[in-house]
């Protein structure tokens, strides 16, 4: 690592080493002269020294850095000259020597230590950052934040990049040296065996390296694919057990494990083997990460297989019950008639038996005579009919449902038997299910009649007693309870990425205890330091909202309320103004299909270089970058759903192998999201984009899901009968701001709720800072209301029947009577519950804001605990208070309701845009893997953003070229329209009907072809 790591691209380096661009208010603030500077300025006689000193002081206050005179901004120099009343300044005289005289003065009076004094300490801290994450750019930015937070000088890019490079070199040397100390010859031999085939013969297509076979993860639901994953898990588990002590000794961070593991996934075997110093580290990280991934994959398989089994059993149960009602009606009548007849006969026999007028011989004679009657013979036939009814579920309290579960159990066992036996799910020691699962593993799945049933429900135990094959039914019930407990957090998978215990996803307690104040300051959460004052303020706001809304309802001064006949309020939202609907839509863009998508990508890339964000996976030894046209082709292949093979076949001079190699090394999700961010940032800089904002002081964002049919078998696609019928699909969840910028997206199965993913988009993008966020009813939960309040984003969802929602108030609050307006008040909120969990809540919010964990991962684990987890209960209490305040404002402010509807309408209109862009293969996804699904979705979003950006550039050009007298009218027309337009973009390419295109066409001599003869033999009928 002799050269400096490529941390920033050329434009970012220039920006880092250049002074900031101030607005007029900022210029006035940063160049204000402090009292201590006045004597220094009076002591300077030369104008360039006085002006240079004040410029250096202002720039340093803003950035913590010093800049050479040739980087000074002309507007800043003019401003300083005016402030100091300098007639003319020869800035060329303010050379490096003069600047060096001023830097110590600025540092001394601001209390900042020069970088030279803290270089060794800074290197140690940057080395710590590098050990925690393998993203050099992120480490660079963390280093800048750390220096400023500790009031240390920030050096130039070259100096700091050298520190980061040295830190990464030190980390690699430390880890590899420590690894060499702990590696035994036996472990080395086992790791080296991964570079060989099973029979030690040369590798080929049908005889791959062992490492190659372990790279596969078949994200499918077919039994054969599940068996393959199970076999890989067995191998990985055996290796992990041996390597786990080594992993613990090395204390590898999750990010380092992930980085090297993903490198091995992308690299060829020989590329890993030739890394003589790091190959064992790479293999170690790969095996650990792959063990986690395959364990998670098998767990997802278990959950989806159980859900599929239940759905099928429920449908079969309903169908069978319906058939029973049709088919067994006659049998049931026959049995009932027989029972009634038999009862009458028994009464007659009873009368004979207890008759004193007959002798015993006469009674026996009468009984024998009765036994020979046809009624007795007919009654004997009822036994068969009764058995048939019982088999169909007539004798069961739950009907035929558990019988169906039992019948379908073998199919479920073929998928899940090995998973339950091999994957070690853990729960509390006193958990009956954990004990039953341990017993199942100890017996290797071979069960007898002595089954641990303490975890079963009463109905399930009853069904087990009536089952014809209790073991089969038991295994199906066991799998179902395991899936439920995994979802509820009662069972966990310790060595996992997605199914660990909730607490393991938060910042560790030691770090939180030692750095609490610094973390709160870094994440701008110091106002949450103590629970009491924050809750007092929330309670005051809530009380004010109750008072204001109810008073206006009572006085009838709320213009958005109409009285129903029963006196209850009816809330109405104002319709769109008539004049806005009557506007004549003059064309703002070129004619249909006149601009090729390639031209759009090229034009936008020339302005923001989004392709520079697509960096090679390796942090060093990077090969020459591919041409931009390869990136464009790959983006279009995924973003338009054409696929790499089809794109390669339809494109000249671009081979499929080259495209696949480009995608493999450059198209990570992080890179593609950064590329989107670059385009989104450019849209935000264009003045025309401000025309689409209705409230300049707020950034209103929204999120909503769009369903996509998945045409291949995939574990990540699930049934949604509303959208896919009997087929499966997934959700693309997109985020849009009020400038029509799609700033985030994520995919997940169609059976999951959208709500856990909402916080992801608000926190995991680096461009759009939302102040107000809206979703539809599917996107809101009480936990989301709480978390958005903590991260200072006003959550404003559109809630159906919002007046039916329950309102809440803190215990002891004086709340107006709301029952007269048909509103319901729930149980009082308990502040003590919130205060008891305040430290964990802060730890959770800091973990989210620092991107220590994605919100969706954390919330899915937290929400699954339901009401049992104290943190969930505390967040729910906070969320109920925040939701109530919002609902009261929502009732009172019809303009707010209108704004929310308008923003959600913007997002819903982009769904049609997405379908137009994602037109290939009938808009159906043909990717089974999670990552490739997300790559396709992110590329689709990139294409959409690029088109919107081109439209904004075009509209900005129109405004720039318009005569001043017409500019305002054009701006008004643009403001009433949307930049989400694509009719002028040719998304599907062109056909070439020119004569030149036929130059190399094949020619056939039909007469010669017709003269060809050969012996034609009749096909043989023998097999």
């Amino acid at each position: 690592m002799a050269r400096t790591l490529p941390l920033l691209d050329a434009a970012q380096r220039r920006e880092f080493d250049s002074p900031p661009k101030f607005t007029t208010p900022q210029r006035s603030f940063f160049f204000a002269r402090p009292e201590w500077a006045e004597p220094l300025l009076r002591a300077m006689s030369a104008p360039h020294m006085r002006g240079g000193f004040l410029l250096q002081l202002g720039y340093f206050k803003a950035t913590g850095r010093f800049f050479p005179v040739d980087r000074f901004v002309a507007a800043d120099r003019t401003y300083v000259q005016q402030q100091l009343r300098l007639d003319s300044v020869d800035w060329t005289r303010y050379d490096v020597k003069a600047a060096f005289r001023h830097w110590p003065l600025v540092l001394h009076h601001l209390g900042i230590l020069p970088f030279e004094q803290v270089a060794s300490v800074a290197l140690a801290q940057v080395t710590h950052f590098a050990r925690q994450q393998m993203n050099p750019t992120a480490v660079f930015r963390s280093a800048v934040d750390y220096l400023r937070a500790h009031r240390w000088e920030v050096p130039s890019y070259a100096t700091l990049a050298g520190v980061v490079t040295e830190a990464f070199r030190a980390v690699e040397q430390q880890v590899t040296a420590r690894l060499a100390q702990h590696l035994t010859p036996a472990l080395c031999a086992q790791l080296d065996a991964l570079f060989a085939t099973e029979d030690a013969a040369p590798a080929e297509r049908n005889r791959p390296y062992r490492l190659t076979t372990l790279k596969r993860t078949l994200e499918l639901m077919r039994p054969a694919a599940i068996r393959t994953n199970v076999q890989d898990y067995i191998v990985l588990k055996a290796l992990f057990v041996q390597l786990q002590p080594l992993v613990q000794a090395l204390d590898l961070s999750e990010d380092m494990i992930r980085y090297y593991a993903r490198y091995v996934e992308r690299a060829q075997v020989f590329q890993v083997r030739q890394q003589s110093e790091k190959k064992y580290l790479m293999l170690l990280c790969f095996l650990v990460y792959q063990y986690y991934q395959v364990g998670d994959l098998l767990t997802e398989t278990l959950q989806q297989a159980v859900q599929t089994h239940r759905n099928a059993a429920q449908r079969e149960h309903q169908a069978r019950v319906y058939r029973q009602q049709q088919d067994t009606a006659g049998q049931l009548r026959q049995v009932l008639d027989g029972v009634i007849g038999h009862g009458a006969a028994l009464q007659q026999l009873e009368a004979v038996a207890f008759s004193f007028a007959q002798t015993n011989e006469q009674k026996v004679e009468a009984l024998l005579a009765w036994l020979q009657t046809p009624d007795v013979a007919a009654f004997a036939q009822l036994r068969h009919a009764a058995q048939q009814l019982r088999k169909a579920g007539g004798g069961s309290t739950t009907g035929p449902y558990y019988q169906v579960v039992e019948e379908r159990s073998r199919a479920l066992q073929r998928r899940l038997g090995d998973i339950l036996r091999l994957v070690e799910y853990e729960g509390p020691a006193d958990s009956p299910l954990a004990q039953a699962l341990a017993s199942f593993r100890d017996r290797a799945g071979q069960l007898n009649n002595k089954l641990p049933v303490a975890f079963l429900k009463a109905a399930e135990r009853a069904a087990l007693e009536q089952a014809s094959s209790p073991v089969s039914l038991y295994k199906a019930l066991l799998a179902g309870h395991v899936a439920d407990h995994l979802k509820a957090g009662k069972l966990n998978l310790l060595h996992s990425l997605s199914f660990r215990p909730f607490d393991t996803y938060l910042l560790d307690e030691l770090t939180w205890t030692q750095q609490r104040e610094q973390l709160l300051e870094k994440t701008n959460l110091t106002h949450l330091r103590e629970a009491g004052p924050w809750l007092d303020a929330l309670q005051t706001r809530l009380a004010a909202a109750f008072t204001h809304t109810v008073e206006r309802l009572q006085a009838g001064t709320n213009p958005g309320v109409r009285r129903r006949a029963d006196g209850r309020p009816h809330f109405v939202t104002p319709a769109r103004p008539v004049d806005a609907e009557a506007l004549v839509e003059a064309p703002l863009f070129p004619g249909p299909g006149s601009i090729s998508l390639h031209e759009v990508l090229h034009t936008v890339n020339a302005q923001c270089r989004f392709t520079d964000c697509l960096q090679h996976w390796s942090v060093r030894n990077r090969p020459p970058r591919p041409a931009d046209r390869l990136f464009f082709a790959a983006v279009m292949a995924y973003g338009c759903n054409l696929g790499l093979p089809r794109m390669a076949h339809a494109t000249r001079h671009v081979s499929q192998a080259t495209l696949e190699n480009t995608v493999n090394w450059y198209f990570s999700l992080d890179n593609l999201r950064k590329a989107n961010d670059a385009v989104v940032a450019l849209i935000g800089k264009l003045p025309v984009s401000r025309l689409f904002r209705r409230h300049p002081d707020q950034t209103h964002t929204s999120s909503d899901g769009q369903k996509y049919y998945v045409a291949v078998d995939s574990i990540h696609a699930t049934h949604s009968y509303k959208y896919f019928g009997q087929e499966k699909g997934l959700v693309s969840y997109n985020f849009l701001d009020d400038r029509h910028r799609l700033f985030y997206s994520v995919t997940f199965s169609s059976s999951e709720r959208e709500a856990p993913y909402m916080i992801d988009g608000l926190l995991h993008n680096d461009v759009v800072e939302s102040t107000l966020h809206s979703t539809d009813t599917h996107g809101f939960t009480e936990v989301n209301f709480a978390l958005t309040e903590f991260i200072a984003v006003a959550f404003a969802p559109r809630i159906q029947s919002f007046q039916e929602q329950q309102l809440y108030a803190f215990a002891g609050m004086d709340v107006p009577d709301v029952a007269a307006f048909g509103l319901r008040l729930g149980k009082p909120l308990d502040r003590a519950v919130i205060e008891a969990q305040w430290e964990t809540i802060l730890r959770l919010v800091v973990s989210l804001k620092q991107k220590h964990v994605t919100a969706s991962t954390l919330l899915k684990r937290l929400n699954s605990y339901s009401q049992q987890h104290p943190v969930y209960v505390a967040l729910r209490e906070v969320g109920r208070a925040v939701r109530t305040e919002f609902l009261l404002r929502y009732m009172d402010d019809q303009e707010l309701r209108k704004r929310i509807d308008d923003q959600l309408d913007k997002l819903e209109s982009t769904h049609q845009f997405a379908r137009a862009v994602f037109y290939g293969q009938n808009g159906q996804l043909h990717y089974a893997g999670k990552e490739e699904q997300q790559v396709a979705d992110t590329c689709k979003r990139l294409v959409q953003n690029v088109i919107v950006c081109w439209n904004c550039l075009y509209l900005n050009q129109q405004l720039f070229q318009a005569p001043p007298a017409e500019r305002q009218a054009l701006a008004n027309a643009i403001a009433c329209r949307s930049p989400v337009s694509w009719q002028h973009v040719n998304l599907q390419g062109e056909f070439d009907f020119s004569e030149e295109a036929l130059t190399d066409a094949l020619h056939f001599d039909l007469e010669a072809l017709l003269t060809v003869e050969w012996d034609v033999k009749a096909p043989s009928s023998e097999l």
Side-chain angles (χ1 to χ4, degrees), residues 607-626:
Q607 304 302 320
C608 67
R609 295 302 304 170
F610 66 84
T611 55
D612 289 347
C613 300
L614 305 176
Q615 294 293 325
H616 195 276
W617 186 263
S618 175
V619 298
R620 63 172 180 174
N621 300 328
R622 293 178 175 176
R625 281 180 62 80

Side-chain angles (χ1 to χ4, degrees), residues 31-102:
F31 293 130
R33 288 171 288 180
E35 292 183 6
W36 59 262
E38 292 295 346
L40 295 175
L41 288 169
R42 287 194 296 269
M44 300 174 189
S45 57
H48 66 274
M49 294 294 285
R50 300 181 67 195
F53 177 81
L54 190 55
L55 282 167
Q56 292 283 16
L57 174 61
Y59 288 150
F60 191 87
K61 287 194 294 185
T63 65
R65 304 193 294 276
F66 293 114
F67 302 95
V69 66
D70 59 341
R71 300 288 179 91
F72 288 178
V73 179
D76 296 338
R77 291 186 301 191
T78 301
Y79 179 85
V80 167
Q81 285 181 237
Q82 293 173 352
Q83 291 297 306
L84 296 176
R85 299 179 181 179
L86 304 176
D87 295 333
S88 61
V89 178
D90 183 5
W91 292 104
T92 59
R93 296 182 60 190
Y94 190 73
D95 53 13
V96 175
K97 183 178 180 181
F100 279 174
R101 294 171 58 186
H102 289 165

